[in-house]
Amino acid sequence: MGYQSSSDEHVIEKLRGFVGMLNAESEKGSVVVVEGRRDAEALLSIGFTGIPAVFHNFKGVADFVDSHSHADKKIILLLDMDRTGKYLTSRLVSQLQFRRNSVNLFYKHTLARITNGKVRHVEDLLIYAAPLSGVTGARKDLYFYA
């Protein structure tokens, strides 16, 4: 039951690298944007050490863009890969680029590639929280205490 295949271990290692790169970007001042509170919590649960900007804390695309257009920071969009997330991503990219902001979709595409499309919503990263934190074994109820 607690057996992990080598492909799972490969995904875990790739995710560790992904989180490390995301942390480095955040430390350089980049803004990492997720859709909702649960997405932010999932990102933190896999080891992200920055403070993600939660899109839904703003009053829509215009409010978000107004809040971030004056900053000379790279904006990393890590929105969901469902219909709503794709729509928001396209709107944000066009609005932010219009205002000369640096927008980055590399991490969104990398996450999809690493997980072979299993993670369509950022909150789905919770399934990798326990293995990334080093908790092993078949008792999934223990993962909440790590």
Side-chain angles (χ1 to χ4, degrees):
M1 194 87 196
Y3 173 76
Q4 282 188 332
S5 69
S6 62
S7 67
D8 287 344
E9 291 171 15
H10 181 71
V11 169
I12 300 297
E13 284 307 308
K14 290 274 193 188
L15 277 174
R16 276 197 181 101
F18 172 82
V19 172
M21 291 188 326
L22 207 55
N23 283 334
E25 290 278 5
S26 179
E27 288 168 11
K28 287 190 251 176
S30 296
V31 178
V32 178
V33 183
V34 295
E35 268 183 68
R37 178 184 50 80
R38 288 186 301 215
D39 295 331
E41 290 169 358
L43 201 55
L44 294 170
S45 76
I46 64 166
F48 180 64
T49 56
I51 300 170
V54 179
F55 174 77
H56 288 308
N57 287 350
F58 296 88
K59 293 178 178 81
V61 173
D63 185 38
F64 179 85
V65 171
D66 288 344
S67 298
H68 290 86
S69 63
H70 65 280
D72 232 8
K73 299 177 179 180
K74 183 191 301 184
I75 297 175
I76 299 170
L77 295 180
L78 206 56
L79 305 182
D80 294 344
M81 289 160 242
D82 58 5
R83 181 182 295 174
T84 305
K86 288 177 181 179
Y87 172 75
L88 289 173
T89 298
S90 69
R91 290 280 315 273
L92 286 170
V93 167
S94 66
Q95 294 288 321
L96 289 166
Q97 286 179 341
F98 179 75
R99 296 193 185 196
R100 304 273 190 251
N101 283 83
S102 173
V103 181
N104 185 314
L105 297 176
F106 168 78
Y107 291 94
K108 179 176 180 167
H109 298 304
T110 301
L111 181 61
R113 192 171 51 250
I114 288 171
T115 62
N116 294 320
K118 287 180 186 171
V119 173
R120 287 184 43 86
H121 302 92
V122 176
E123 66 189 66
D124 295 342
L125 285 170
L126 283 173
I127 63 173
Y128 296 106
L132 282 168
S133 67
V135 176
T136 58
R139 296 266 324 263
K140 297 199 183 325
D141 60 326
L142 295 178
Y143 296 159
F144 297 106
Y145 304 108

